[in-house]
Amino acid sequence: MRDAAHPRKSGVDHRQGQGQHLDDQGSFRIDETGTVIRRRTQEWFSFGGNDPNSVRGETQTVRRYERDDWRTEVRTRTILTSTPEEFVINAELDAFELDDDHGDRRVHSQSWQRRTPRDLV
């Protein structure tokens, strides 16, 4: 069950060739471990007319894990596009230790790109 504080929303504008989806699952607690987990995902899609190579999809996620005085957060961003020959994926991942007193510290960061031949697609 979702309340207004944790929405799931979708929308498409066919004239503009754009769409978006928000899935804010809020926080929940695993009582056996005392861990609180926060999940949020947002997605955007766009296309231009009848051009299949104009299609673009982007997803951003946030996952937060907390227990006692330990707090971490992982943020991802993935973008999918294409050329006439390839599908192209660009991805980023950043992980943080959260600290209200000393500021958040990024403990891991990674970016990568993958290209996959379309092979008749």
Side-chain angles (χ1 to χ4, degrees), residues 30-110:
I30 301 172
D31 291 329
E32 293 81 7
T33 63
T35 303
V36 176
I37 299 173
R38 166 97 170 88
R39 298 192 301 196
R40 183 177 199 272
T41 301
Q42 193 159 8
E43 300 172 311
W44 299 267
F45 306 95
S46 62
F47 61 93
N50 291 325
D51 179 7
N53 294 308
S54 69
V55 174
R56 181 180 190 277
E58 178 176 347
T59 302
Q60 293 182 11
T61 66
V62 174
R63 301 292 185 264
R64 181 177 288 188
Y65 306 91
E66 304 178 26
R67 182 174 50 233
D68 301 326
D69 61 351
W70 170 77
R71 296 184 313 135
T72 62
E73 186 171 279
V74 177
R75 302 174 195 160
T76 67
R77 180 177 184 220
T78 306
I79 299 173
L80 173 63
T81 58
S82 69
T83 70
E85 296 80 29
E86 300 173 306
F87 294 107
V88 181
I89 299 174
N90 290 288
E92 302 169 359
L93 178 142
D94 289 293
F96 298 85
E97 289 182 347
L98 306 178
D99 187 330
D100 291 335
D101 297 327
H102 301 99
D104 300 344
R105 182 171 69 98
R106 186 165 62 182
V107 295
H108 182 77
S109 182
Q110 184 174 355

